[in-house]
Amino acid sequence: MSKRTWALIAALTVSIIYGVSFTIAKDVMPTYVKPFGFILLRVFGATVLFWAVSFLGPKEKIQTKDFPRIIAAAFFGVALNMLTFFKGLSFTSPISGAVIMVTTPIIVMILSAVLIREKIKVRKILGILLGLIGTGFLILYGKSIGNASNASLGNLLVFINAVSYAVYLIVVKKLMDKYNAFTFVKWIYTFGLLMVLPFGWNEYQEIQWATIPTHILWEIGFVVVFTTFLTYLFNLVSMRELKPTTVAVFIYLQPLFATVFAISLGKDELTWVKIISAVLIFVGVFLATKKKS
């Protein structure tokens, strides 16, 4: 398989993991672990894992002038991104949260055109619009799952997270072109850990580990290992071969996978609206990621 095919598979895997994680994270929060306490757990666990596997990469030294970009990537890709997302998800429903994330490709497309002068093809714009229509159908006419205690605030925080992630995808691209992923991702998470520590420490101390059921502990482990550690590695693999706008388009698949997972658990039902939405999303992603022969 070509490097581009591997990159597309990596991006697809990230979307599946994230789609499943909306419901899993909602199981944990806020009943057993509060949002910021959960973020601290995530980032600390992932930081340890990234340092543990960093020897797999080549021995490279990061130039001092690149550390400001790494700190910016830590702020937008770890701290602001995760804090607003988990806090927002604790207020809104999993599918609503997943659908708001689909604004990211639009934001990335605008920022890429402005900041890195990326040319946007008509086919990619059409693909992004089709994906947006599909996800819009899903949110307007598809039955949502989960309780939403303060949906408008939750949705706003998830939108801030989407903007933050869009900025991260563009900021990290130059690091990808210069270094191996293992060289800098451990530093992104180390700085990210320092940033989230003041927000998450109090909520982390409130966790009653003895009263948490075993299945919830497994779900916490899933979020640390899969949703944080593996997705960041896979995202970096995909970004080495794909443009930020192409990687961002895969976010359209997250609401779809979130809905499929909810249906499989019996928390949602399959309707014609969801089927039509799924077709529009898949066609949109195909058009946006298809490379001209």
Side-chain angles (χ1 to χ4, degrees):
M1 277 196 289
S2 68
K3 286 183 178 179
R4 182 179 169 82
T5 305
W6 277 116
L8 291 169
I9 290 169
L12 178 65
T13 306
V14 167
S15 287
I16 293 170
I17 293 171
Y18 277 147
V20 167
S21 299
F22 282 94
T23 301
I24 288 176
K26 192 75 177 173
D27 280 350
V28 178
M29 299 184 305
T31 311
Y32 301 101
V33 183
K34 288 180 181 173
F36 288 176
F38 201 178
I39 292 300
L40 184 56
L41 264 177
R42 271 186 80 174
V43 179
F44 175 73
T47 304
V48 170
L49 287 170
F50 280 124
W51 277 96
V53 300
S54 61
F55 68 90
L56 294 172
K59 284 184 167 62
E60 293 176 311
K61 193 172 182 184
I62 292 171
Q63 293 180 334
T64 309
K65 66 176 184 179
D66 289 323
F67 273 101
R69 184 174 286 273
I70 285 173
I71 291 167
F75 177 73
F76 290 110
V78 179
L80 184 65
N81 171 29
M82 290 191 188
L83 290 170
T84 51
F85 175 64
F86 266 42
K87 196 70 172 178
L89 191 59
S90 70
F91 289 133
T92 191
S93 71
I95 290 178
S96 294
V99 170
I100 289 161
M101 279 298 293
V102 303
T103 56
T104 304
I106 308 293
I107 300 160
V108 171
M109 188 170 72
I110 293 164
L111 291 177
S112 292
V114 173
L115 298 177
I116 59 175
R117 301 284 187 268
E118 185 185 317
K119 288 180 180 176
I120 310 299
K121 295 183 177 73
V122 174
R123 188 186 67 250
K124 186 170 275 191
I125 293 170
L126 180 63
I128 286 171
L129 288 174
L130 275 177
L132 196 60
I133 292 165
T135 46
F137 261 178
L138 202 55
I139 190 73
L140 290 172
Y141 305 108
K143 176 188 158 199
S144 270
I145 64 164
N147 298 318
S149 58
N150 189 344
S152 51
L153 175 61
N155 292 342
L156 174 65
L157 288 170
V158 174
F159 177 71
I160 292 169
N161 151 70
V163 175
S164 174
Y165 188 67
V167 174
Y168 160 77
L169 284 177
I170 292 165
V171 167
V172 85
K173 181 67 177 167
K174 279 198 176 176
L175 293 171
M176 284 298 309
D177 295 339
K178 195 169 181 179
Y179 302 107
N180 183 277
F182 287 109
T183 304
F184 65 83
V185 74
K186 60 181 185 282
W187 286 109
I188 288 179
Y189 264 82
T190 302
F191 286 117
L193 179 60
L194 295 173
M195 291 173 191
V196 301
L197 191 60
F199 294 94
W201 183 246
N202 286 340
E203 289 188 4
Y204 173 78
Q205 286 183 305
E206 291 173 21
I207 301 171
Q208 302 292 317
W209 291 104
T211 61
I212 296 178
T214 306
H215 75 280
I216 296 293
L217 290 173
W218 278 106
E219 289 185 331
I220 291 170
F222 178 90
V223 170
V224 171
V225 177
F226 287 88
T227 313
T228 316
F229 173 67
L230 282 179
T231 54
Y232 262 74
L233 275 186
F234 286 160
N235 251 337
L236 292 170
V237 165
S238 61
M239 285 198 68
R240 188 169 283 281
E241 299 299 324
L242 308 171
K243 290 179 179 178
T245 44
T246 306
V247 175
V249 164
F250 278 86
I251 291 167
Y252 281 144
L253 295 173
Q254 290 178 24
L256 186 66
F257 292 132
T259 305
V260 168
F261 188 62
I263 290 166
S264 69
L265 293 179
K267 294 182 180 178
D268 213 335
E269 58 189 2
L270 189 64
T271 62
W272 278 108
V273 167
K274 295 192 178 87
I275 293 167
I276 293 166
S277 298
V279 171
L280 286 170
I281 290 166
F282 275 119
V283 172
V285 171
F286 174 76
L287 286 174
T289 57
K290 188 174 182 288
K291 204 167 188 180
K292 218 172 183 180
S293 56

